[in-house]
Coordinates of all heavy atoms in Angstrom, one line a residue:
M1 N 22.0 -33.7 -1.4 CA 22.3 -32.8 -2.5 C 21.0 -32.2 -3.0 O 21.0 -31.0 -3.2 CB 23.1 -33.5 -3.5 CG 23.6 -32.5 -4.6 SD 24.8 -31.4 -3.9 CE 25.2 -30.4 -5.2
K2 N 20.0 -33.0 -3.2 CA 18.8 -32.5 -3.7 C 18.1 -31.5 -2.7 O 17.6 -30.5 -3.1 CB 17.8 -33.6 -4.0 CG 18.2 -34.4 -5.2 CD 17.2 -35.5 -5.5 CE 17.6 -36.4 -6.6 NZ 16.6 -37.5 -6.9
L3 N 18.3 -31.9 -1.4 CA 17.6 -31.0 -0.4 C 18.3 -29.6 -0.4 O 17.7 -28.6 -0.3 CB 17.8 -31.7 1.0 CG 17.2 -30.9 2.1 CD1 15.7 -30.7 2.0 CD2 17.5 -31.6 3.4
I4 N 19.6 -29.6 -0.5 CA 20.4 -28.4 -0.4 C 20.0 -27.5 -1.7 O 19.8 -26.3 -1.6 CB 21.9 -28.6 -0.4 CG1 22.3 -29.2 1.0 CG2 22.7 -27.3 -0.6 CD1 23.7 -29.7 1.0
L5 N 19.9 -28.2 -2.8 CA 19.5 -27.4 -4.0 C 18.1 -26.9 -3.9 O 17.9 -25.7 -4.3 CB 19.7 -28.4 -5.2 CG 19.4 -27.8 -6.6 CD1 20.3 -26.6 -6.9 CD2 19.5 -28.8 -7.7
A6 N 17.2 -27.7 -3.4 CA 15.8 -27.2 -3.2 C 15.7 -26.0 -2.3 O 15.0 -25.1 -2.5 CB 15.0 -28.4 -2.7
V7 N 16.5 -26.1 -1.2 CA 16.5 -25.0 -0.2 C 17.1 -23.7 -0.8 O 16.6 -22.6 -0.7 CB 17.2 -25.4 1.1 CG1 17.5 -24.2 2.0 CG2 16.5 -26.5 1.8
L8 N 18.1 -23.9 -1.6 CA 18.8 -22.7 -2.3 C 17.8 -22.1 -3.3 O 17.7 -20.9 -3.3 CB 20.0 -23.2 -3.0 CG 20.8 -22.1 -3.7 CD1 21.3 -21.1 -2.7 CD2 22.0 -22.7 -4.4
V9 N 17.1 -22.9 -4.0 CA 16.2 -22.3 -5.0 C 15.0 -21.6 -4.3 O 14.6 -20.5 -4.7 CB 15.6 -23.5 -5.9 CG1 14.5 -23.0 -6.7 CG2 16.8 -24.0 -6.8
M10 N 14.5 -22.2 -3.2 CA 13.4 -21.6 -2.5 C 13.9 -20.2 -1.9 O 13.1 -19.3 -1.9 CB 12.9 -22.5 -1.4 CG 12.2 -23.7 -1.9 SD 10.7 -23.2 -2.8 CE 9.7 -22.6 -1.4
V11 N 15.1 -20.2 -1.3 CA 15.6 -19.0 -0.7 C 15.7 -17.9 -1.8 O 15.3 -16.8 -1.6 CB 16.9 -19.2 0.0 CG1 17.6 -17.9 0.3 CG2 16.7 -20.0 1.3
L12 N 16.2 -18.2 -2.9 CA 16.4 -17.2 -4.0 C 15.0 -16.8 -4.5 O 14.8 -15.6 -4.7 CB 17.2 -17.8 -5.1 CG 18.7 -18.1 -4.8 CD1 19.4 -18.8 -6.0 CD2 19.4 -16.7 -4.5
L13 N 14.1 -17.7 -4.6 CA 12.7 -17.2 -5.1 C 12.0 -16.4 -4.1 O 11.5 -15.3 -4.4 CB 11.9 -18.5 -5.4 CG 12.1 -19.2 -6.7 CD1 11.3 -20.5 -6.8 CD2 11.8 -18.3 -7.8
V14 N 12.1 -16.8 -2.8 CA 11.4 -16.0 -1.8 C 12.1 -14.6 -1.6 O 11.4 -13.6 -1.5 CB 11.4 -16.8 -0.5 CG1 10.9 -15.9 0.7 CG2 10.5 -18.0 -0.6
E15 N 13.4 -14.6 -1.6 CA 14.1 -13.4 -1.4 C 13.8 -12.3 -2.5 O 13.6 -11.2 -2.3 CB 15.6 -13.6 -1.3 CG 16.4 -12.4 -0.9 CD 16.1 -11.9 0.5 OE1 15.8 -12.7 1.3 OE2 16.2 -10.7 0.7
T16 N 13.7 -12.8 -3.8 CA 13.5 -11.9 -4.8 C 12.1 -11.5 -5.0 O 11.8 -10.3 -5.4 CB 14.0 -12.5 -6.2 OG1 13.3 -13.7 -6.4 CG2 15.5 -12.7 -6.2
Q17 N 11.2 -12.3 -4.6 CA 9.7 -12.0 -4.8 C 9.1 -11.3 -3.6 O 8.3 -10.4 -3.8 CB 8.9 -13.3 -5.1 CG 9.4 -14.0 -6.4 CD 9.1 -13.1 -7.6 OE1 8.1 -12.5 -7.7 NE2 10.0 -13.1 -8.6
A18 N 9.4 -11.7 -2.4 CA 8.7 -11.2 -1.3 C 9.1 -9.8 -0.9 O 8.2 -8.9 -0.7 CB 8.9 -12.1 -0.1
Q19 N 10.3 -9.5 -0.7 CA 10.8 -8.2 -0.3 C 10.0 -7.8 1.0 O 9.5 -6.7 1.1 CB 10.8 -7.2 -1.4 CG 11.6 -7.5 -2.5 CD 11.6 -6.5 -3.6 OE1 10.9 -5.4 -3.4 NE2 12.4 -6.7 -4.6
W20 N 9.9 -8.7 1.9 CA 9.1 -8.5 3.2 C 9.6 -7.3 3.9 O 8.8 -6.7 4.7 CB 9.2 -9.8 4.0 CG 10.6 -10.2 4.4 CD1 11.4 -11.0 3.6 CD2 11.4 -9.7 5.5 NE1 12.6 -11.1 4.3 CE2 12.6 -10.3 5.4 CE3 11.1 -8.9 6.5 CZ2 13.6 -10.1 6.3 CZ3 12.1 -8.7 7.5 CH2 13.3 -9.2 7.3
Y21 N 10.8 -6.9 3.8 CA 11.4 -5.8 4.6 C 10.8 -4.5 4.2 O 10.9 -3.5 4.9 CB 12.9 -5.8 4.6 CG 13.4 -5.7 3.2 CD1 13.7 -4.5 2.5 CD2 13.8 -6.9 2.5 CE1 14.2 -4.5 1.2 CE2 14.3 -6.9 1.2 CZ 14.5 -5.7 0.6 OH 15.0 -5.6 -0.7
R22 N 10.3 -4.4 3.0 CA 9.7 -3.1 2.5 C 8.2 -3.0 2.9 O 7.7 -1.9 2.8 CB 9.8 -3.0 1.0 CG 11.2 -2.9 0.5 CD 11.2 -2.7 -1.0 NE 12.6 -2.6 -1.5 CZ 12.9 -2.5 -2.7 NH1 12.0 -2.5 -3.6 NH2 14.2 -2.5 -3.0
F23 N 7.6 -4.1 3.2 CA 6.1 -4.1 3.5 C 5.7 -3.1 4.6 O 4.7 -2.3 4.4 CB 5.7 -5.5 3.9 CG 4.2 -5.6 3.9 CD1 3.5 -6.0 2.8 CD2 3.5 -5.5 5.1 CE1 2.1 -6.1 2.8 CE2 2.1 -5.6 5.1 CZ 1.4 -5.9 4.0
P24 N 6.3 -3.0 5.8 CA 5.9 -2.1 6.8 C 6.0 -0.6 6.3 O 5.1 0.2 6.6 CB 6.8 -2.3 8.0 CG 7.3 -3.7 7.8 CD 7.4 -3.9 6.3
G25 N 7.0 -0.3 5.6 CA 7.2 1.1 5.2 C 6.1 1.5 4.1 O 5.6 2.6 4.1
Q26 N 5.9 0.5 3.3 CA 4.8 0.7 2.3 C 3.4 0.9 2.9 O 2.6 1.7 2.5 CB 4.8 -0.4 1.2 CG 6.0 -0.5 0.4 CD 6.1 -1.7 -0.5 OE1 5.3 -2.6 -0.3 NE2 7.0 -1.7 -1.4
A27 N 3.2 0.1 3.9 CA 1.9 0.1 4.6 C 1.7 1.5 5.3 O 0.7 2.1 5.3 CB 1.8 -1.0 5.6
A28 N 2.8 1.9 5.9 CA 2.7 3.2 6.7 C 2.5 4.3 5.6 O 1.8 5.3 5.9 CB 4.0 3.5 7.5
G29 N 3.2 4.3 4.5 CA 3.1 5.3 3.5 C 1.6 5.3 2.9 O 1.1 6.3 2.6
G30 N 1.1 4.1 2.7 CA -0.3 4.0 2.2 C -1.3 4.5 3.2 O -2.2 5.2 2.8
A31 N -1.1 4.3 4.5 CA -1.9 4.9 5.5 C -1.8 6.4 5.5 O -2.8 7.1 5.7 CB -1.6 4.4 6.9
K32 N -0.6 6.9 5.3 CA -0.4 8.4 5.2 C -1.2 8.9 4.0 O -1.8 10.0 4.1 CB 1.1 8.7 5.1 CG 1.4 10.1 5.1 CD 2.9 10.3 5.0 CE 3.3 11.8 4.8 NZ 4.7 12.0 4.7
D33 N -1.1 8.2 2.9 CA -1.8 8.7 1.7 C -3.3 8.7 1.9 O -4.0 9.7 1.5 CB -1.6 7.8 0.4 CG -0.1 7.9 0.0 OD1 0.5 8.9 0.2 OD2 0.4 6.9 -0.6
M34 N -3.9 7.7 2.6 CA -5.3 7.7 2.9 C -5.7 8.8 3.8 O -6.7 9.5 3.7 CB -5.7 6.4 3.5 CG -5.6 5.2 2.6 SD -6.7 5.3 1.2 CE -8.2 4.9 2.0
W35 N -4.8 9.1 4.8 CA -5.0 10.2 5.7 C -5.0 11.6 5.0 O -5.8 12.4 5.3 CB -4.0 10.2 6.9 CG -4.2 11.3 7.8 CD1 -3.4 12.4 8.0 CD2 -5.3 11.4 8.8 NE1 -3.9 13.2 8.9 CE2 -5.0 12.6 9.5 CE3 -6.3 10.6 9.2 CZ2 -5.9 13.0 10.5 CZ3 -7.1 11.1 10.2 CH2 -6.9 12.2 10.9
R36 N -4.1 11.7 4.1 CA -4.0 13.0 3.4 C -5.2 13.2 2.5 O -5.7 14.3 2.4 CB -2.7 13.0 2.5 CG -2.5 14.3 1.8 CD -1.2 14.3 1.1 NE -0.7 12.9 1.2 CZ 0.4 12.4 0.5 NH1 1.0 13.2 -0.3 NH2 0.8 11.2 0.6
A37 N -5.7 12.1 1.9 CA -6.9 12.3 1.1 C -8.1 12.7 2.0 O -9.0 13.4 1.6 CB -7.2 11.0 0.4
Y38 N -8.2 12.1 3.2 CA -9.2 12.4 4.1 C -9.2 13.9 4.5 O -10.2 14.6 4.6 CB -9.2 11.5 5.3 CG -10.2 11.8 6.4 CD1 -11.5 11.6 6.2 CD2 -9.8 12.5 7.6 CE1 -12.4 11.9 7.2 CE2 -10.7 12.8 8.6 CZ -12.0 12.5 8.4 OH -12.9 12.9 9.3
Q39 N -7.9 14.3 4.8 CA -7.8 15.7 5.2 C -8.2 16.7 4.1 O -8.8 17.7 4.3 CB -6.3 16.0 5.7 CG -5.9 15.3 6.9 CD -6.7 15.9 8.1 OE1 -7.3 16.9 8.1 NE2 -6.7 15.1 9.2
D40 N -7.8 16.3 2.9 CA -8.1 17.1 1.7 C -9.7 17.2 1.5 O -10.2 18.2 1.2 CB -7.5 16.6 0.4 CG -6.0 16.8 0.4 OD1 -5.5 17.6 1.3 OD2 -5.3 16.2 -0.4
M41 N -10.3 16.0 1.8 CA -11.8 16.0 1.7 C -12.4 16.9 2.7 O -13.4 17.7 2.4 CB -12.3 14.6 1.9 CG -13.8 14.5 1.8 SD -14.4 12.8 2.2 CE -14.2 12.8 3.9
R42 N -11.9 16.9 3.9 CA -12.4 17.7 5.0 C -12.2 19.2 4.7 O -13.0 20.1 4.9 CB -11.8 17.4 6.3 CG -12.0 16.0 6.8 CD -13.4 15.8 7.2 NE -13.7 16.6 8.4 CZ -14.9 16.5 9.0 NH1 -15.8 15.8 8.6 NH2 -15.1 17.3 10.0
E43 N -11.0 19.5 4.1 CA -10.7 20.9 3.7 C -11.6 21.4 2.6 O -12.0 22.5 2.6 CB -9.3 21.0 3.4 CG -8.8 22.4 3.1 CD -7.3 22.4 2.7 OE1 -6.5 21.7 3.2 OE2 -7.0 23.3 1.8
A44 N -11.8 20.5 1.6 CA -12.7 20.9 0.4 C -14.1 21.2 0.9 O -14.7 22.1 0.3 CB -12.6 19.8 -0.6
N45 N -14.6 20.4 1.8 CA -15.9 20.6 2.4 C -17.0 20.7 1.3 O -17.8 21.7 1.2 CB -16.0 21.9 3.3 CG -17.2 21.9 4.2 OD1 -17.8 20.9 4.4 ND2 -17.5 23.1 4.6
W46 N -16.9 19.8 0.4 CA -17.8 19.8 -0.8 C -18.7 18.6 -0.7 O -18.3 17.5 -0.4 CB -17.0 19.7 -2.1 CG -17.7 20.1 -3.3 CD1 -18.3 19.2 -4.2 CD2 -17.9 21.4 -3.8 NE1 -18.9 19.9 -5.2 CE2 -18.7 21.3 -5.0 CE3 -17.5 22.6 -3.4 CZ2 -19.1 22.4 -5.7 CZ3 -17.9 23.7 -4.1 CH2 -18.7 23.6 -5.3
K47 N -20.0 18.8 -0.9 CA -21.0 17.8 -0.8 C -20.8 16.7 -1.8 O -20.5 16.9 -3.0 CB -22.4 18.4 -1.0 CG -23.5 17.6 -0.4 CD -24.8 18.5 -0.6 CE -25.8 17.9 0.4 NZ -27.1 18.7 0.3
N48 N -20.9 15.4 -1.3 CA -20.8 14.2 -2.2 C -19.5 14.0 -2.9 O -19.4 13.5 -3.9 CB -22.0 14.2 -3.2 CG -23.3 14.1 -2.6 OD1 -23.5 13.4 -1.5 ND2 -24.3 14.7 -3.2
S49 N -18.4 14.6 -2.3 CA -17.1 14.4 -2.9 C -16.3 13.3 -2.3 O -15.2 13.0 -2.6 CB -16.3 15.7 -2.8 OG -16.0 16.0 -1.4
D50 N -16.9 12.6 -1.3 CA -16.1 11.5 -0.6 C -15.7 10.4 -1.4 O -14.6 9.9 -1.2 CB -17.0 11.0 0.6 CG -18.3 10.5 0.2 OD1 -18.8 10.9 -0.8 OD2 -18.8 9.6 1.0
K51 N -16.4 10.0 -2.4 CA -16.0 8.9 -3.3 C -14.8 9.3 -4.1 O -13.9 8.5 -4.3 CB -17.1 8.5 -4.3 CG -18.3 7.8 -3.6 CD -19.3 7.4 -4.5 CE -20.4 6.7 -3.8 NZ -21.4 6.1 -4.6
Y52 N -14.7 10.5 -4.5 CA -13.5 11.0 -5.3 C -12.3 10.9 -4.4 O -11.2 10.4 -4.8 CB -13.7 12.4 -5.8 CG -12.3 13.0 -6.2 CD1 -11.7 12.6 -7.4 CD2 -11.7 13.9 -5.4 CE1 -10.5 13.1 -7.8 CE2 -10.5 14.4 -5.8 CZ -9.9 14.0 -7.0 OH -8.7 14.6 -7.3
F53 N -12.3 11.4 -3.2 CA -11.2 11.5 -2.3 C -10.8 10.1 -1.9 O -9.6 9.8 -1.7 CB -11.4 12.4 -1.2 CG -11.4 13.9 -1.5 CD1 -12.6 14.6 -1.7 CD2 -10.2 14.5 -1.8 CE1 -12.5 15.9 -2.0 CE2 -10.1 15.8 -2.2 CZ -11.3 16.5 -2.3
H54 N -11.8 9.2 -1.6 CA -11.5 7.8 -1.2 C -10.8 7.1 -2.4 O -9.8 6.4 -2.1 CB -12.8 7.1 -0.8 CG -12.5 5.8 -0.2 ND1 -12.2 5.7 1.1 CD2 -12.6 4.6 -0.7 CE1 -12.0 4.4 1.4 NE2 -12.2 3.7 0.3
A55 N -11.2 7.3 -3.6 CA -10.6 6.7 -4.7 C -9.2 7.2 -4.9 O -8.2 6.5 -5.2 CB -11.4 6.9 -6.0
R56 N -9.0 8.5 -4.7 CA -7.7 9.1 -4.9 C -6.7 8.5 -3.8 O -5.5 8.2 -4.1 CB -7.7 10.6 -4.8 CG -6.4 11.3 -5.2 CD -6.4 12.7 -4.9 NE -6.0 12.8 -3.5 CZ -6.0 13.9 -2.8 NH1 -6.5 15.0 -3.3 NH2 -5.7 13.9 -1.5
G57 N -7.2 8.4 -2.6 CA -6.4 7.9 -1.5 C -6.0 6.4 -1.8 O -4.9 6.0 -1.6
N58 N -7.0 5.6 -2.3 CA -6.7 4.2 -2.6 C -5.7 4.1 -3.8 O -4.8 3.3 -3.7 CB -7.9 3.5 -3.1 CG -8.8 3.0 -1.9 OD1 -8.3 2.9 -0.8 ND2 -10.1 2.9 -2.1
Y59 N -5.8 5.0 -4.7 CA -4.8 5.0 -5.9 C -3.4 5.3 -5.4 O -2.5 4.6 -5.7 CB -5.3 5.9 -6.9 CG -4.3 6.1 -8.1 CD1 -4.2 5.1 -9.0 CD2 -3.5 7.2 -8.2 CE1 -3.3 5.2 -10.0 CE2 -2.6 7.3 -9.2 CZ -2.5 6.4 -10.1 OH -1.6 6.5 -11.2
D60 N -3.3 6.4 -4.6 CA -2.0 6.8 -4.1 C -1.4 5.7 -3.3 O -0.2 5.4 -3.3 CB -2.1 8.1 -3.4 CG -2.4 9.3 -4.3 OD1 -2.2 9.2 -5.5 OD2 -2.9 10.3 -3.7
A61 N -2.2 5.1 -2.4 CA -1.6 4.1 -1.5 C -1.2 2.8 -2.3 O -0.2 2.2 -2.0 CB -2.7 3.7 -0.5
A62 N -2.1 2.4 -3.3 CA -1.8 1.2 -4.0 C -0.5 1.3 -4.9 O 0.1 0.3 -5.2 CB -3.0 0.8 -4.9
K63 N -0.2 2.6 -5.3 CA 1.0 2.8 -6.1 C 2.3 2.5 -5.3 O 3.3 2.2 -5.9 CB 1.1 4.2 -6.5 CG 0.3 4.5 -7.7 CD 0.6 5.9 -8.4 CE 1.0 6.9 -7.4 NZ 1.2 8.2 -8.0
R64 N 2.2 2.4 -4.0 CA 3.4 2.2 -3.2 C 3.9 0.8 -3.2 O 5.0 0.5 -2.9 CB 3.1 2.6 -1.7 CG 3.0 4.1 -1.6 CD 2.9 4.5 -0.2 NE 2.8 5.9 0.0 CZ 3.8 6.7 0.1 NH1 5.0 6.3 0.1 NH2 3.6 8.0 0.2
G65 N 3.0 -0.2 -3.5 CA 3.4 -1.6 -3.6 C 2.4 -2.4 -2.7 O 1.3 -2.0 -2.4
P66 N 2.8 -3.7 -2.4 CA 2.0 -4.6 -1.7 C 1.6 -4.1 -0.3 O 0.4 -4.2 0.1 CB 2.8 -5.8 -1.6 CG 3.8 -5.8 -2.6 CD 4.1 -4.3 -2.8
G67 N 2.4 -3.4 0.4 CA 2.1 -2.8 1.7 C 1.1 -1.7 1.6 O 0.1 -1.7 2.4
G68 N 1.2 -0.9 0.6 CA 0.3 0.2 0.4 C -1.1 -0.3 -0.1 O -2.1 0.2 0.4
R69 N -1.1 -1.3 -0.9 CA -2.3 -2.0 -1.3 C -3.0 -2.6 -0.1 O -4.2 -2.4 0.0 CB -2.0 -3.0 -2.4 CG -3.1 -3.4 -3.2 CD -2.7 -4.4 -4.4 NE -1.7 -3.8 -5.2 CZ -0.5 -4.3 -5.3 NH1 -0.2 -5.4 -4.7 NH2 0.4 -3.7 -6.1
W70 N -2.3 -3.2 0.8 CA -2.9 -3.8 1.9 C -3.5 -2.7 2.8 O -4.6 -2.8 3.3 CB -1.8 -4.6 2.7 CG -2.3 -5.1 4.0 CD1 -3.1 -6.2 4.2 CD2 -2.2 -4.5 5.3 NE1 -3.4 -6.3 5.5 CE2 -2.8 -5.3 6.2 CE3 -1.5 -3.3 5.7 CZ2 -2.8 -5.0 7.6 CZ3 -1.5 -3.0 7.1 CH2 -2.2 -3.9 8.0
A71 N -2.8 -1.6 3.0 CA -3.3 -0.5 3.8 C -4.6 0.1 3.2 O -5.5 0.4 3.9 CB -2.2 0.6 4.0
A72 N -4.6 0.2 1.9 CA -5.8 0.8 1.3 C -7.0 -0.2 1.4 O -8.1 0.3 1.6 CB -5.5 1.0 -0.2
E73 N -6.8 -1.5 1.4 CA -7.9 -2.4 1.6 C -8.4 -2.4 3.0 O -9.6 -2.4 3.3 CB -7.4 -3.8 1.3 CG -7.2 -4.1 -0.2 CD -6.7 -5.5 -0.5 OE1 -6.6 -6.3 0.5 OE2 -6.3 -5.7 -1.6
V74 N -7.5 -2.3 4.0 CA -7.9 -2.3 5.4 C -8.6 -1.0 5.8 O -9.6 -1.0 6.4 CB -6.6 -2.5 6.3 CG1 -6.9 -2.3 7.7 CG2 -6.1 -3.9 6.1
I75 N -8.1 0.1 5.3 CA -8.7 1.4 5.6 C -9.9 1.6 4.8 O -10.9 2.0 5.2 CB -7.7 2.5 5.4 CG1 -6.6 2.4 6.4 CG2 -8.4 3.9 5.6 CD1 -5.4 3.3 6.2

């Protein structure tokens, strides 16, 4: 009985906290945000503006959730 209760609690905790099924979509969206910031930087063609666009891309990607945050760190 204790084992069944422990497994049930673990499943409920993991299911509500992880939301693993959203991670790939968030990561792809975060990569898209980073790519858009890069394209905007290339279009602006302004000297020493890369830090602004990189920060903007990181911010937009991180707003998407854990997957976007991961994509921003990797890129």
Side-chain angles (χ1 to χ4, degrees):
M1 185 66 181
K2 288 181 184 180
L3 180 63
I4 293 172
L5 183 59
V7 169
L8 181 62
V9 169
M10 288 298 290
V11 166
L12 290 174
L13 283 174
V14 170
E15 187 66 31
T16 58
Q17 297 296 321
Q19 297 182 2
W20 57 270
Y21 55 89
R22 292 185 182 177
F23 190 86
Q26 292 172 349
K32 183 179 174 184
D33 289 335
M34 294 295 288
W35 178 254
R36 186 175 5 170
Y38 175 74
Q39 291 295 343
D40 290 347
M41 179 185 73
R42 299 291 293 183
E43 184 180 325
N45 196 21
W46 197 264
K47 201 173 198 178
N48 296 326
S49 65
D50 57 332
K51 289 184 180 184
Y52 164 75
F53 287 104
H54 190 80
R56 194 192 79 192
N58 279 336
Y59 174 75
D60 291 342
K63 280 194 324 186
R64 292 187 178 270
R69 197 172 307 117
W70 175 80
E73 288 176 9
V74 170
I75 296 173

